[in-house]
């Protein structure tokens, strides 16, 4: 019997083909090539996108992700020989997506990154750099000086966005924080602390130079690795803005996306250091489902309306009957209403078991794959 919009979640079967264990899908596979250019909390595993494209969009020539985040759908679209278009309201996510998906002259990129590292090596901080209150608070003086110096080099290079991503990744690692609280540190950690992760006394870092060097070379290696597996010809387009309102272009052959979950993650805030260092525009007031808005009934109603607005806008950009594949943990059972409002009908829904690796987020966790048209 064909499932209907109100099919009950509790009855869903877990699809073993999409429920990988650590052994099936080790970390190096989940973070292959450009997927590890910069930490991003709340992203897809690329193999899930691969499987969903194969299963539901085998004929698609182009794929849209209206909540594109760190660009997993775009990267996997390119790898599978399709064009990919991604939208995100958070400016840093768009920088990251562009860097992951651009095509490079690898020789020129290597030349520029190595040149920037040579200049960094020659840097000798004599004066405290001009910073802002956030940088003063979250970085030791020497780390701040090195980061601000590297930032001052960026505009000299053609591959400025690649350097921006290297800079922010290094900044994330160089913050005055504990090793076990890198995602959302509340207060700077000054001085030694007992580290639960390493089971010893650790100290917050004081320098950034070694991170800049390490990540510049790692970024180069990852971009090179991706260039070997991406198909020639297909292109990625990154649109920055609120996906409820932007003109999304198209027509697209399908959507693969994972919307924010209500009240779980603040997507701007997780990269706060990037906004502070790069001077990016902060559009958090348009961010749907932000944790800071909580889960009151008003916040949930706003979420439903907002996400429905995104899917209604995306629907306008799709070919008729194109599949919309959504990955979501919908424990509040909001998606039948979200999709109804967007004018989409649920065709299939199934569940996958998510293997959560870290002890700090233990417990069973499931996600649903919803296919609507
Ligand atoms: C669950 S994440 C997507 C992660 C993505 N699947 C990946 O692999 O990186 C949801 C994304 O939706 C974005 N977002 C929230 N509200 C938005 C809006 N109004 N328009 C466009 N994007 C929005 C957030 O910034 C966040 O990056």
């Amino acid at each position: 019997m064909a499932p209907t919009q109100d099919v009950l979640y509790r009855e869903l079967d877990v699809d073993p083909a999409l429920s990988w264990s650590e052994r099936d899908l080790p970390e190096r596979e989940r973070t292959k090539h450009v997927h590890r250019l910069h930490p991003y909390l709340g992203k897809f595993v690329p193999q899930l996108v691969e499987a969903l494209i194969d299963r539901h969009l085998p004929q698609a020539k182009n794929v849209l992700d209206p909540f594109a985040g760190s660009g997993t759908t775009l990267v996997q679209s390119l790898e599978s020989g399709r064009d990919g278009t991604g939208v995100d309201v958070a400016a840093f996510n768009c920088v990251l997506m562009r860097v992951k998906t651009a095509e490079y002259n690898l020789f020129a990129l290597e030349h520029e990154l190595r040149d920037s590292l040579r200049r960094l090596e020659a840097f000798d901080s004599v004066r405290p750099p001009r910073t802002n209150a956030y940088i003063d608070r979250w970085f030791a003086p020497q780390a701040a000086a090195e980061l601000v110096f590297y930032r001052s080099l960026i505009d000299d290079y053609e591959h400025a966005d690649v350097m921006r991503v290297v800079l922010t990744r290094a900044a994330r690692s160089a913050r005055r924080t504990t090793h076990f609280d890198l995602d959302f540190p509340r207060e700077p950690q000054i001085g030694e602390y007992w580290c639960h992760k390493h089971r010893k006394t650790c100290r917050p870092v004081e320098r950034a130079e070694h991170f800049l060097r390490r990540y510049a070379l790692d970024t180069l290696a990852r971009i090179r690795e991706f260039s070997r597996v991406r198909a020639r010809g297909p292109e990625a387009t990154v649109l920055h803005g609120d996906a409820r309102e932007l003109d999304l272009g198209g027509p697209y052959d399908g959507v693969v996306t994972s919307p924010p979950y209500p009240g779980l993650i603040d997507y701007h805030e997780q990269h706060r250091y990037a906004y502070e260092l790069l001077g990016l525009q902060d559009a958090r007031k348009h961010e749907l489902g932000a944790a800071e808005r909580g889960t009151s009934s008003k916040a949930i109603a706003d979420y439903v309306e907002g996400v429905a607005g995104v899917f209604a806008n995306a629907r306008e950009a799709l070919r008729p009957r194109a599949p919309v594949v959504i990955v979501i943990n919908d424990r509040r059972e909001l998606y039948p209403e979200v999709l109804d409002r967007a004018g989409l009908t649920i065709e299939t829904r199934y569940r996958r078991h998510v293997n959560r690796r870290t002890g700090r987020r233990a417990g069973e966790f499931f996600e649903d794959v919803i296919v609507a048209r």
Side-chain angles (χ1 to χ4, degrees), residues 39-330:
Y40 175 102
L41 191 67
K43 66 179 166 207
F44 282 141
V45 282
Q47 289 74 14
L48 177 61
V49 179
E50 276 170 29
L52 295 176
I53 290 179
D54 274 0
R55 208 179 260 199
H56 301 292
L57 287 82
Q59 311 293 339
K61 294 199 167 42
N62 60 14
V63 182
L64 170 69
D65 184 347
F67 296 107
S70 66
T72 313
T73 298
L74 268 61
V75 170
Q76 291 315 124
S77 297
L78 294 178
E79 196 174 319
S80 67
R82 296 164 171 89
D83 290 334
T85 297
V87 189
D88 207 283
V89 73
F92 178 68
N93 299 349
C94 293
V95 174
L96 182 56
M97 282 194 267
R98 289 198 180 101
V99 168
K100 286 182 177 181
T101 59
E103 285 193 81
Y104 295 95
N105 172 334
L106 293 169
F107 179 78
L109 176 64
E110 174 163 8
H111 176 78
E112 289 203 344
L113 286 173
R114 289 193 186 279
D115 189 63
S116 71
L117 292 179
R118 256 191 303 277
R119 289 168 74 186
L120 177 66
E121 201 172 291
F123 168 64
D124 191 6
S125 75
V126 279
R127 265 175 289 144
R130 283 183 55 154
T131 60
N132 64 24
Y134 177 91
I135 297 174
D136 286 347
R137 185 163 135 80
W138 282 96
F139 298 96
Q142 185 62 25
E146 290 160 2
L147 292 167
V148 170
F149 175 72
Y150 196 76
R151 180 179 68 180
S152 75
L153 304 180
I154 286 177
D155 286 336
D156 295 349
Y157 296 97
E158 192 190 325
H159 297 93
D161 274 345
V162 178
M163 290 175 64
R164 289 188 177 99
V165 170
V166 169
L167 173 72
T168 55
R169 186 172 170 199
R172 183 179 190 273
S173 299
R175 283 171 305 169
R176 286 169 153 162
T177 169
T178 60
H179 291 129
F180 51 83
D181 201 12
L182 285 162
D183 289 334
F184 288 105
R186 280 170 205 286
E187 288 295 321
Q189 173 69 37
I190 318 270
E192 291 181 352
Y193 60 95
W194 175 251
C195 180
H196 305 290
K197 187 167 167 192
H198 299 114
R199 302 188 155 274
K200 62 177 180 122
T201 301
C202 288
R203 296 179 59 79
V205 284
E206 291 182 356
R207 305 283 309 256
E209 191 202 350
H210 56 302
F211 290 122
L212 288 161
R213 173 171 302 283
R214 186 193 304 166
Y215 296 151
L217 298 176
D218 183 67
T219 297
L220 179 63
R222 288 179 178 280
I223 288 176
R224 188 175 280 143
E225 208 182 316
F226 183 47
S227 77
R228 289 195 203 106
V229 296
R230 66 186 287 172
R232 296 209 187 288
E235 287 178 4
T237 306
V238 176
L239 303 174
H240 176 213
D242 187 332
R244 287 170 286 193
E245 289 166 3
L246 280 183
D247 176 354
L248 303 179
Y252 299 99
D253 298 327
V255 166
V256 177
T257 195
S258 65
Y261 299 175
L264 195 65
I265 295 177
D266 287 313
Y267 284 94
H268 279 83
E269 185 59 25
Q270 70 163 296
H271 300 125
R272 173 77 188 273
Y273 49 92
Y275 289 83
E276 297 283 352
L277 268 168
L278 301 179
L280 298 170
Q281 173 214 341
D282 187 321
R284 67 180 70 201
K285 64 175 184 291
H286 301 296
E287 187 183 310
L288 294 167
E292 68 177 8
R293 266 185 242 127
T295 53
S296 64
S297 44
K298 161 90 170 78
I300 297 292
D302 289 348
Y303 171 86
V304 168
E305 189 184 332
V307 177
V310 172
F311 283 113
N313 194 25
R315 188 176 64 106
E316 298 283 315
L318 293 176
R319 291 186 197 285
R321 307 270 316 137
V324 176
V325 181
I326 301 165
V327 178
I328 188 81
N329 172 293
D330 188 19

